[in-house]
Amino acid sequence: MRTNLLDNLKNLLQKDERLVSEGELLKNKIIELAIKLDKDLIELLLSDNQMKEIFFIEVGKATIFDKDKFIKFVSNKQFLPDSYTAFSQNIGLVHEDGRMFREINPNKEVVLAWPYKDCVLEGGMTKEDQKRDEIFWNEILAPDEISRLLDPKVFTNAKRIDKEGEHKLDGFRTDENGNIKDNLIIKGNNLLALHSLKKRFAGKIKLIYIDPPYNTGGAEDTFKYNDKFNHSTWLVFMKNRLEIAKDLLAKEGAIYVQLDYNEVHYCKVLMDEIFGRENFQREIIWRIGWISGYKTADKNWIRNHDTILFYSKNKNSLEFYKKYIPYPKDYVRRDGSKPEGEGYPYEDTWNCSDLDQLHSIAIVSFTKEKVGEFKGQKNEALIKRIVEAHTKEGDIVLDFFSGTGTTASVSHKLKRQWITVEQLDEQIDKQLSRLKKVLKGDQVGISKEIGWKGGGDFVYMELMKWNENFVEKVKSAKTKEELKKHWETMKEKAFLSYKVDIKTVNEHAKDFEDLSIEDQKRFLLECLDKNHLYVNYSEIDDEEYGVSEEDKKLNRKFYEN
């Protein structure tokens, strides 16, 4: 019926010369006239019984045009499809009912792969790359397609790192109860890594701090990635991760999420739903610092803050260690009186008084204070404030958008156990380099304040890739010839989606060649079964994956205690 409806509607609209140019229907014009409730368009639709039945509602003796339903139908890519959609239709790779992402109920389907830092950023880091849209990979899967998606994954390439260098990892340090006491850096998809941590760390994390993509609409975030998300995509992206984060959090624990105005208010509503509105503790306003240059040119109030949302796992069990800013010598209040007590208690507005000078890393750098070589990281003093408010030595701190490793650096210096998750190679390299310097006693950030001398170690591990290897090769390809070679390898070694019929694809090889390189990449990514991005622990003995005996032993120690 849908195919007939599509064809019938196209044929009908061809009769209105306003909607046709050079023999082609003008989708935008059709939508424009529908929005205006154009009399001639409505009469044209009413002249066809099928259109009348589908796009009109009978209310008493009146016939009412369902404008929203009509616009939604015409907006769908199956109506006047582009070349990529037409190609996908030919080989059967279309959603069964053709719905757009924003129309799908997130409670019934799960967004698996996302833009930005989660194995879906194309990876361009040059100035030219920053000017264009990234090739986003947004995959939507129904529950019956993700039965294995969130299974624990196999860890590989594990090593222990201390100030003497890197060493073979022969096991994890545990306490008398079998709890892992090692600091961990995990490279891989953070959603899947969090689910892999659940076996060992559910209910044991005292503090989670994350600085997720701000969804600014451009390539302006901390590390110059393009983080332009569809708004609803961003929300489900966060929802998936916050739900498992809650499971990992201890009942007395806390979570801090740092954002700016683009999404923070929507995230507040989302966190109310996940953690419970009763567990909302504070909205912290962090005044970033001085304003100068282009920022002052706005004909508006000058934006000069980030927002940090603070939630508890359980408001009745939350542990909070109140801190004070020591009064300077000879300090007097505005009324001339001398203060008493431990000091000035921290408010929920930071860097907003003479006593509280918590500047951003950029401001600290401007004052010539040495802060290290890792541009873009959050101020160590900021993370120290949060860590000390909720943890004691030995407690576990988690950051699954860890970037250059500020949370790990601060937690290590404060003798907390820490876990970080990151996927991008560039950020992993910076994080490893930074943590190695911390082990040797670096004197940047909070080091001088706390008398840091170095020491300790951490464990580095990676989620074992399978289809993810093909994802990376496809995204990094520069030519169509490269993609053609990757497709031949994928047909032989990759796990392909059940929707892919290789014979049918081969029959349309010419159509595939005619696609742009961006659409060819998009197609090859859609062919991959997303349940097989990484190797599941349940299949560790499958010879096809080639998991080494050394890795098998290590994984069993992690998962089976």
Side-chain angles (χ1 to χ4, degrees), residues 313-347:
K313 173 73 172 285
N314 184 319
K315 66 176 184 178
N316 297 319
S317 303
L318 176 69
E319 291 182 355
F320 183 87
Y321 308 115
K322 190 171 182 178
K323 302 291 182 180
Y324 298 84
I325 304 172
Y327 293 118
K329 186 178 180 181
D330 301 325
Y331 178 81
V332 294
R333 296 192 182 96
R334 292 183 180 181
D335 63 4
S337 63
K338 289 189 68 66
E340 298 178 355
E342 299 182 55
Y344 189 82
Y346 286 110
E347 302 171 313

Side-chain angles (χ1 to χ4, degrees), residues 34-37 55 64-72:
I35 291 173
K36 294 179 179 179
L37 297 176
F55 297 120
I64 300 174
F65 178 43
D66 191 339
K67 176 182 67 176
D68 293 336
K69 184 176 182 180
F70 178 77
I71 292 174
K72 184 182 293 186

Side-chain angles (χ1 to χ4, degrees), residues 73-290:
F73 186 88
V74 173
S75 299
N76 193 297
K77 283 192 174 183
Q78 290 195 59
F79 181 79
L80 305 181
D82 54 28
S83 59
Y84 175 77
T85 306
F87 173 74
S88 297
Q89 288 174 334
N90 285 338
I91 62 172
L93 285 184
V94 293
H95 197 281
E96 285 74 4
D97 58 5
R99 289 177 297 166
M100 301 292 285
F101 169 76
R102 62 180 175 271
E103 301 168 30
I104 294 174
N105 182 350
N107 293 322
K108 294 183 178 179
E109 289 169 302
V110 177
V111 176
L112 166 61
W114 304 84
Y116 195 74
K117 301 174 71 170
D118 199 74
C119 79
V120 289
L121 179 67
E122 188 203 358
M125 293 295 168
T126 66
K127 291 182 179 179
E128 290 73 22
D129 287 325
Q130 293 173 31
K131 294 176 182 177
R132 62 174 172 74
D133 286 349
E134 296 291 351
I135 297 175
F136 288 171
W137 175 24
N138 299 310
E139 183 74 10
I140 302 169
L141 301 177
D144 58 355
E145 296 177 280
I146 60 170
S147 57
R148 303 168 63 256
L149 169 65
L150 302 179
D151 282 356
K153 307 304 176 192
V154 171
F155 293 107
T156 190
N157 295 332
K159 52 192 173 184
R160 185 176 298 280
I161 300 175
D162 59 24
K163 65 180 180 180
E164 305 300 328
E166 300 180 357
H167 313 277
K168 175 182 176 182
L169 181 64
D170 55 6
F172 298 96
R173 295 197 184 97
T174 58
D175 62 16
E176 63 277 8
N177 297 316
N179 297 310
I180 291 177
K181 304 305 293 180
D182 282 309
N183 303 311
L184 303 175
I185 294 180
I186 299 174
K187 180 183 178 184
N189 176 304
N190 63 0
L191 177 62
L192 306 186
L194 290 174
H195 280 275
S196 297
L197 289 170
K198 188 174 181 179
K199 169 76 173 179
R200 278 288 201 164
F201 293 96
K204 297 178 182 178
I205 307 296
K206 282 291 185 70
L207 172 67
I208 297 174
Y209 166 85
I210 55 173
D211 179 26
Y214 282 14
N215 202 16
T216 60
E220 302 170 353
D221 77 299
T222 304
F223 302 115
K224 301 188 185 302
Y225 299 126
N226 187 333
D227 62 342
K228 188 195 299 183
F229 283 73
N230 171 289
H231 168 67
S232 55
T233 302
W234 186 90
L235 284 173
V236 185
F237 166 80
M238 292 299 295
K239 178 176 181 287
N240 295 159
R241 286 147 183 80
L242 290 171
E243 285 173 337
I244 179 61
K246 180 183 179 183
D247 290 340
L248 294 171
L249 206 58
K251 65 178 182 179
E252 65 272 22
I255 180 170
Y256 284 68
V257 180
Q258 181 161 343
L259 292 162
D260 70 4
Y261 64 93
N262 283 284
E263 295 288 1
V264 67
H265 305 97
Y266 298 98
C267 188
K268 165 69 167 65
V269 176
L270 177 63
M271 294 185 73
D272 280 348
E273 176 183 334
I274 294 172
F275 289 90
R277 190 170 183 179
E278 70 278 5
N279 284 307
F280 170 66
Q281 295 292 328
R282 293 289 186 274
E283 175 190 50
I284 297 167
I285 302 301
W286 179 34
R287 178 178 174 270
I288 297 171
W290 311 324

Side-chain angles (χ1 to χ4, degrees), residues 286 346 350 356-361 364 369 371 377-388 406 410 413-414 434 444-447 449-450:
W286 179 34
Y346 286 110
W350 294 354
D356 185 8
Q357 298 184 12
L358 186 66
H359 296 312
S360 73
I361 201 73
V364 175
E369 179 184 342
V371 294
Q377 83 261 27
K378 288 297 181 285
N379 194 340
E380 287 198 5
L382 171 74
I383 307 301
K384 177 178 181 288
R385 179 173 298 185
I386 296 171
V387 169
E388 290 186 330
T406 304
V410 172
K413 293 174 185 179
L414 295 176
R434 182 177 186 177
V444 300
I446 65 171
S447 293
E449 174 191 350
I450 67 170

Side-chain angles (χ1 to χ4, degrees), residues 391-396 413-417:
T391 66
K392 297 179 179 178
E393 290 187 9
D395 287 343
I396 308 175
K413 293 174 185 179
L414 295 176
K415 299 181 181 179
R416 272 62 170 179
Q417 185 181 348

